[in-house]
Amino acid sequence: MTDEGPTEREQAMRAVELEFSELIAQVRRIIMRNADRVSPGMLPGAYKVFTTIADAGPLTASAIADRLMIDKGQLSRTVRELEDLGLVARTPDPSDGRAHLLEPTEDGRRRLATARAPQEHGLSRALEKWDVSDVRRLADLLHALTHEQVPGAD
């Protein structure tokens, strides 16, 4: 920062930070609404565990803990809660007799689909009037950001 105030780059970085903050807040609201639709009072953390199982399962508890970077004790309590709600079920892991695989129940899949339905096409709606070249550019920029690359420097 100079004596005259923030540089153009600093102003641009602050604008990006602000927009990411808004996006994150919007995603949190969606997750909270979806969690409540799956089961009234469900916490966002339990919803994240459930969606991980539903989207990537069947998984062992260790695989979920590693993927979400959460404490195994907390995960165990959350899985018990999800089982009590009838959303997930355990089956023996055929490759490791000591472990169990977690997967969504049919009721869990149905409830998750119902919860996700209201915003199922939200991104498509938000971008439907954008020029396709702008959508591609957004994807390229996000890819570069998440992979710590310079845009267009393939």
Side-chain angles (χ1 to χ4, degrees), residues 65-80:
D66 289 345
R67 183 180 289 238
L68 297 178
M69 296 183 289
I70 58 175
D71 174 73
K72 290 181 182 177
Q74 176 61 42
L75 176 64
S76 179
R77 289 185 292 278
T78 301
V79 167
R80 242 179 284 121

Side-chain angles (χ1 to χ4, degrees), residues 127-140:
L127 299 176
E128 71 185 353
K129 293 184 180 175
W130 286 34
D131 186 274
V132 70
S133 64
D134 290 331
V135 175
R136 285 190 184 114
R137 179 76 176 139
L138 175 61
D140 290 344

